[in-house]
Amino acid sequence: MKLCVIGLGYIGLPTAVMFANSGCDVIGVDKSEEVINILKNGGVHIEEDGLNEIVRNCFDSGRLKVSTKPVAADVYIIAVPTPNACDKCLSCDIRLVVAACKEILPYLSKSNIVIVESTVAPRTLQDYIMPIFEEQGYTIGEDLYLAHCPERVLPGRILYEMRYNNRIVGGITKECTKHAAKVYETFVEGKIIKTDAKTAEIAKCMENTYRDVNIALANELAKVCGELNIDCLEAIRIANEHPRVNILWPGPGVGGHCLAVDPYFIYSKIPNLAKLIKTARDINSTMPYYVVEKTVELVEGIQKPKIVAFGLTYKGNIDDTRESPAIKIIELLKADGFQLEVYDPHVGKGVEQSPYELVKDSDLVLILADHDEFKEIDYNKVGDLMRRAYIFDTRNIIDAEEYADVTVINYGNLFEFV
Ligand code: SAJ
């Protein structure tokens, strides 16, 4: 089986190597010359455990080739970004998916399979993608098979989850579903769940919306508890002792290219009905403002306070800064005129010095990502070097009892300091 994977990003590149590793001939296509050159020169442009090694093996075996242009293949997998459009409801911008479909048209032949992996709004395949191929004379389900097969992998565990997670395969027709499912049977060891395209589209958006709404609840509870002088973290821990309760954790906000984006794909379809989804988005996307407001209160009264932010990425142990609340917080603090140092070993920020050197004479360390490196820091030593040993841990990664020489502030005790 010969596959052409369009878009070699966080999903496309691992997908291409999974197929190549299972014996398929894969051409990975990316329009960025820079990405193609990095890959050809033995590197990878994204941080993901084990990815570099497996990419190299696939190149060495000759199963993976990369190019800026598509070629004729049996299967086309489209994994290009689908950001929010710049409209009022932040709908799904499918222009790159449409462009990729148009780009493969000259190479297509009868009985090819076209799979869209990019997350899209419900009904996108039916309403916008199918007509592109029909206009060329194809009958979907008879001489061309079109399906949506969203990925569900967690950044940081992509290679493992791509193989072992259950996979949704939703074709335009039953024949489309059958053909697309066969493609994934090459390497997927999880269950292959067969459905139709529009159900697959909304199911994928629902998964991330579910998580976004649950995080919003945790963030709202953190604010409410703060106002009531209650330790929110302790309360969540206790509530979670209930056999059917699993409240998530408050943080600096929700980032990444999934939770902060996909819920709008449902909301924008029917805004007057999708009220909870929008409220959750509003709660999560305004968390950086809450963190900034509290940070300002924490340094109040200090002449020219120096703040050191640990973490730029949207979550721990990855190098992905897309939609990162940390970046928003840093931008807002800088705009307010604060003197700020930023340290994030995963994106090479501030690494010229050690974190201990960076915190010298600072008044507040602000923890914004839960990288393992941050958990290994000796915060007593950090405290000794700071001018005022305050740490605002928005990720709740430091055990305050372990460190007597610093004041650890988190969503459990923030109300005592502001
Ligand atoms: N977060 C919190 N509190 C929590 C949990 C997470 O504030 O208790 C924050 C994180 O710090 C981060 C954001 O939420 O900023 C999102 O992180 P995440 O780990 O929940 O999810 P993603 O965006 O990295 O990956 C999600 C996953 N979806 C679900 O868990 C439903 C993944 O399986 C999807 O494949 C991925 O989106 C995607 O590509 O859609």
Side-chain angles (χ1 to χ4, degrees):
M1 185 164 57
K2 188 168 176 185
L3 285 102
C4 190
V5 178
I6 319 280
L8 296 177
Y10 282 92
I11 299 305
L13 182 59
T15 302
V17 299
M18 291 310 273
F19 279 109
N21 208 30
S22 313
C24 303
D25 287 318
V26 181
I27 308 288
V29 179
D30 202 290
K31 64 180 180 189
S32 159
E33 303 256 0
E34 196 191 334
V35 166
I36 297 300
N37 285 337
I38 292 173
L39 290 167
K40 281 187 173 163
N41 291 326
V44 289
H45 55 296
I46 48 183
E47 182 189 315
E48 182 62 38
D49 260 1
L51 185 61
N52 207 339
E53 198 187 341
I54 185 169
V55 168
R56 293 279 50 83
N57 291 344
C58 292
F59 270 116
D60 291 347
S61 69
R63 293 280 187 210
L64 176 67
K65 296 193 170 61
V66 289
S67 166
T68 52
K69 291 266 171 281
V71 293
D74 305 306
V75 181
Y76 291 87
I77 295 187
I78 296 171
V80 294
T82 43
N84 294 117
C86 296
D87 50 26
K88 194 166 155 257
C89 297
L90 301 175
S91 68
C92 177
D93 180 347
I94 56 165
R95 281 179 296 181
L96 292 174
V97 178
V98 170
C101 291
K102 291 188 173 160
E103 207 187 349
I104 61 173
L105 285 179
Y107 308 94
L108 275 188
S109 56
K110 289 201 169 175
S111 4
N112 278 173
I113 304 167
V114 178
I115 296 168
V116 175
E117 282 210 9
S118 313
T119 306
V120 289
R123 303 189 57 96
T124 296
L125 258 66
Q126 210 168 318
D127 295 347
Y128 302 103
I129 305 300
M130 186 165 80
I132 298 172
F133 301 108
E134 284 178 333
E135 275 166 24
Q136 301 298 310
Y138 290 104
T139 307
I140 305 299
E142 285 180 23
D143 54 14
L144 190 75
Y145 304 103
L146 177 62
H148 178 53
C149 305
E151 50 70 26
R152 313 162 107 182
V153 290
L154 197 68
R157 285 168 52 85
I158 292 181
L159 293 172
Y160 176 88
E161 292 206 354
M162 218 165 240
R163 182 179 295 280
Y164 293 104
N165 283 2
N166 299 336
R167 186 90 202 200
I168 310 171
V169 175
I172 291 285
T173 66
K174 285 212 162 86
E175 276 303 299
C176 295
T177 309
K178 202 173 96 191
H179 280 78
K182 273 247 158 304
V183 173
Y184 288 94
E185 279 166 14
T186 334
F187 73 85
V188 171
E189 295 192 30
K191 197 162 62 173
I192 294 186
I193 306 154
K194 295 181 185 148
T195 182
D196 57 35
K198 61 187 180 207
T199 311
E201 289 165 334
I202 200 160
K204 161 72 192 187
C205 293
M206 269 182 191
E207 293 167 7
N208 285 339
T209 302
Y210 164 85
R211 196 156 165 84
D212 194 51
V213 169
N214 278 283
I215 298 168
L217 175 64
N219 284 333
E220 184 165 283
L221 290 172
K223 291 185 198 167
V224 168
C225 286
E227 279 304 302
L228 298 172
N229 292 10
I230 296 170
D231 181 339
C232 171
L233 302 175
E234 167 84 348
I236 292 178
R237 249 176 247 121
I238 291 171
N240 283 348
E241 295 285 334
H242 184 289
R244 284 172 297 284
V245 174
N246 183 20
I247 301 174
L248 294 177
W249 297 97
V254 165
H257 201 68
C258 309
L259 272 62
V261 176
D262 304 351
Y264 293 113
F265 295 177
I266 300 182
Y267 165 70
S268 58
K269 282 279 170 185
I270 325 262
N272 59 325
L273 290 180
K275 294 197 167 88
L276 176 61
I277 296 175
K278 176 64 162 57
T279 304
R281 275 284 68 241
D282 290 344
I283 292 170
N284 288 337
S285 62
T286 54
M287 272 314 274
Y289 294 89
Y290 182 75
V291 172
V292 167
E293 185 191 310
K294 298 301 164 192
T295 302
V296 171
E297 287 175 40
L298 287 172
V299 294
E300 214 170 63
I302 300 177
Q303 277 288 318
K304 292 205 178 142
K306 178 182 163 189
I307 301 170
V308 182
F310 280 6
L312 264 181
T313 59
Y314 81 86
K315 67 176 190 179
N317 302 325
I318 55 168
D319 68 348
D320 192 339
T321 56
R322 289 177 298 176
E323 319 289 332
S324 174
I327 292 193
K328 182 80 195 165
I329 290 165
I330 290 162
E331 273 171 14
L332 289 169
L333 286 169
K334 281 191 174 158
D336 276 354
F338 286 99
Q339 191 198 342
L340 209 76
E341 298 286 347
V342 182
Y343 173 63
D344 192 326
H346 286 262
V347 291
K349 182 82 185 158
V351 288
E352 305 77 27
Q353 302 177 61
S354 80
Y356 300 105
E357 283 167 292
L358 273 176
V359 301
K360 262 185 203 145
D361 300 323
S362 64
D363 302 286
L364 183 76
V365 168
L366 189 55
I367 296 183
L368 300 173
D370 42 357
H371 294 318
D372 285 344
E373 288 87 341
F374 299 162
K375 296 175 189 164
E376 282 149 19
I377 287 173
D378 176 351
Y379 288 98
N380 277 334
K381 192 167 156 192
V382 166
D384 291 343
L385 293 161
M386 293 173 75
R387 185 159 66 172
R388 189 196 55 171
Y390 267 32
I391 299 182
F392 181 15
D393 176 11
T394 68
R395 295 286 186 174
N396 191 27
I397 58 169
I398 308 178
D399 179 1
E401 281 176 16
E402 210 183 305
Y403 298 106
D405 298 351
V406 281
T407 302
V408 179
I409 303 158
N410 54 34
Y411 288 125
N413 63 357
L414 180 61
F415 61 85
E416 292 172 20
F417 300 89
V418 293

